Amino acid sequence: LIDAIFPNYKQVVPTHHTCKVEIDRERFSGALRRISNFTNTQTNQIKLTLDKVDGTNRMTIGAQDLDMNSEGYETFEVHSDNFPTAMNIGFNVKMLMAAVDSYATETVALLMTDPNKAAIIKHETDSDDFVLIMPVVLN
């Protein structure tokens, strides 16, 4: 038994979302692994860019390491009912990969409200299970 005062975690769990993106889990996981090779080894920062081109909802995963002069990007189509006009959000790629890989489903849903607020990853069913992932400030 740990006798301590813990923060109220319910304060950071979003109660609603403005953007729900459904992504093929294996494709998303593979893209994260490939792009992770281009992250800075100290920050492990990646940027997810959501945009719409010719009526197609797209997600671009990108990383840049200025110290090693390397960068990598991968873009693919995603499904969404309430896709934003455009959004950039940063994550620690290791944390995001762990969250995505924690499910064994065909698709995962990424639920977001704002680039500065926590995001939720859920599997394809309407289960109460979710993984909360905090964004990072983009450089």
Side-chain angles (χ1 to χ4, degrees):
L1 180 63
I2 300 173
D3 185 24
I5 298 173
F6 295 97
N8 184 0
Y9 71 91
K10 291 181 181 180
Q11 288 179 328
V12 296
V13 176
T15 56
H16 71 285
H17 57 275
T18 57
C19 176
K20 177 182 178 184
V21 179
E22 292 181 6
I23 311 161
D24 179 275
R25 188 189 62 80
E26 286 189 23
R27 180 155 190 197
F28 190 33
S29 180
L32 290 172
R33 288 190 197 298
R34 287 186 291 278
I35 298 303
S36 70
N37 293 317
F38 298 99
T39 62
N40 181 293
T41 56
Q42 293 178 339
T43 64
N44 295 305
Q45 178 179 302
I46 61 160
K47 177 171 74 170
L48 300 183
T49 301
L50 304 174
D51 62 0
K52 195 176 281 213
V53 175
D54 297 328
T56 303
N57 299 333
R58 298 184 327 165
M59 175 184 284
T60 301
I61 303 170
Q64 185 177 36
D65 185 356
L66 296 176
D67 296 336
M68 301 299 286
N69 197 24
S70 66
E71 61 185 356
Y73 301 94
E74 189 165 333
T75 301
F76 51 92
E77 185 178 336
V78 295
H79 302 285
S80 177
D81 294 332
N82 52 349
F83 201 75
T85 307
M87 180 188 284
N88 291 320
I89 187 167
F91 291 107
N92 178 309
V93 71
K94 290 183 179 184
M95 299 297 167
L96 188 56
M97 282 191 304
V100 171
D101 291 342
S102 69
Y103 293 115
T105 57
E106 190 174 313
T107 62
V108 292
L110 180 60
L111 294 88
M112 299 170 288
T113 303
D114 186 271
N116 299 321
K117 296 194 176 170
I120 290 177
I121 296 179
K122 293 181 100 172
H123 55 87
E124 57 198 325
T125 63
D126 289 328
S127 163
D128 290 335
D129 285 8
F130 65 87
V131 176
L132 183 72
I133 183 159
M134 300 303 287
V136 297
V137 177
L138 294 170
N139 293 344

